[in-house]
Amino acid sequence: MRVDLNSDLGESFGRYNLGLDGEVMKYITSANVATGWHAGDPIVMRRTVRLAKENGVAVGAHPGYPDLLGFGRRYMRLSPEEARNYTLYQIGALHAFSRAEGLELQHVKPHGALYNALVKDEALARAVLEGIADFDKNLIFVTLSGSRSAEIAGEIGVRVAHEVFADRAYNPDGTLVSRSKPGAVIHDKDEIAERVISMVKDGGVRAINGEWVELKVDTICVHGDNPKAVEIVAHVRRALEDEGVKVVPMREIVW
């Protein structure tokens, strides 16, 4: 068995520092680097790409809504033309820094509210995927496991990595429990590790109401913006390897 571990990084901005990128990077295999619209800036982007290179971590773009103030977690109404070009613009920004550091982009994972919107808004998902295809159809599109957007990616010809979340609770329909609700985010490292092992080895996890949710797992997101991030991601990686699961970049899993 093989699986990718990814984390959303490069989310500092100007004088504001967020996350423990330098430590988290030691345990993951793919980094989703903020592209300047929900977080990040040119200095942070290059620094994060360089850090990934030093740790042998694959790099992907992490585009979001143009919403620095709301950290990209507020929904916005975009036309298909806007969504397509906003996506292309942000991929291009990170590509410049990746190329400068001698790295190729591996994937694109939308951020926050945009990520969640793609699960149910087919027109938006198609527009974002067209933006990815405009740049390079060989990029891997990272989306919520089992979502309609994964099917649309297949129609367009973009590769897909089905993603699960180590520290987020699930609804019975396979969507994530809103962060505004109690229990949406899980903080206990042992519980997180147990859920991850269940996802990878059993192909699913218990929803917040106890129902079983089947999941396809190519990549696991471990968030890097909380005080226990390093402890959690290190614990998850050890748990996977102890179970005989090989942790590799998603390009070695998705063909």
Side-chain angles (χ1 to χ4, degrees):
M1 289 180 290
R2 298 183 299 172
V3 74
D4 173 63
L5 272 185
N6 79 73
S7 190
D8 305 340
L9 303 176
E11 292 184 321
S12 298
F13 178 76
R15 295 179 63 186
Y16 299 94
N17 293 315
L18 180 68
L20 302 165
D21 294 8
E23 293 302 311
V24 171
M25 198 78 79
K26 297 175 182 178
Y27 300 100
I28 62 173
T29 43
S30 296
N32 318 309
V33 183
T35 49
W37 281 28
H38 77 277
D41 62 33
I43 303 300
V44 173
M45 279 192 274
R46 184 155 196 173
R47 183 184 301 143
T48 308
V49 169
R50 186 174 290 155
L51 187 61
K53 181 179 180 179
E54 291 170 355
N55 285 271
V57 172
V59 170
H62 195 39
Y65 285 126
D67 182 25
L68 277 175
L69 190 63
F71 196 64
R73 288 182 175 163
R74 300 182 292 189
Y75 290 93
M76 301 177 71
R77 186 179 296 278
L78 302 181
S79 69
E81 182 182 24
E82 288 172 326
R84 182 174 186 167
N85 290 313
Y86 287 4
T87 300
L88 180 60
Y89 181 94
Q90 292 180 79
I91 296 171
L94 187 66
H95 173 254
F97 294 106
S98 298
R99 183 173 180 178
E101 293 296 329
L103 295 180
E104 291 294 326
L105 290 184
Q106 172 190 250
H107 66 280
V108 178
K109 175 187 169 180
H111 166 80
L114 179 60
Y115 180 100
N116 291 327
L118 300 185
V119 174
K120 296 183 178 180
D121 189 330
E122 294 190 15
L124 182 65
R126 188 171 296 278
V128 167
L129 280 157
E130 287 171 348
I132 294 171
D134 285 341
F135 185 86
D136 186 353
K137 280 191 175 182
N138 289 317
L139 288 173
I140 300 168
F141 171 59
V142 180
T143 190
L144 188 67
S145 179
S147 68
R148 170 62 179 142
S149 58
E151 297 176 3
I152 295 171
E155 295 169 7
I156 292 174
V158 175
R159 294 184 295 165
V160 178
H162 291 261
E163 181 179 42
V164 297
F165 288 78
D167 55 358
R168 293 292 304 278
Y170 278 78
N171 292 308
D173 65 355
T175 59
L176 300 178
V177 174
S178 170
R179 286 178 178 268
S180 64
K181 296 182 178 180
V185 180
I186 301 163
H187 301 284
D188 181 82
K189 67 177 184 179
D190 292 324
E191 182 181 357
I192 291 171
E194 288 175 8
R195 290 169 65 83
V196 165
I197 296 303
S198 173
M199 290 170 176
V200 175
K201 299 195 74 174
D202 302 326
V205 71
R206 292 290 171 190
I208 198 164
N209 68 348
E211 292 184 29
W212 182 254
V213 180
E214 292 188 357
L215 299 168
K216 177 174 172 54
V217 184
D218 296 316
T219 183
I220 302 166
C221 179
V222 182
H223 287 106
D225 58 353
N226 68 72
K228 292 187 176 181
V230 178
E231 181 181 357
I232 290 171
V233 69
H235 190 62
V236 166
R237 177 145 190 174
R238 283 195 299 270
L240 286 167
E241 292 176 340
D242 287 347
E243 291 290 328
V245 179
K246 190 174 181 180
V247 183
V248 298
M250 65 184 77
R251 63 181 169 230
E252 296 185 24
I253 300 169
V254 178
W255 301 95

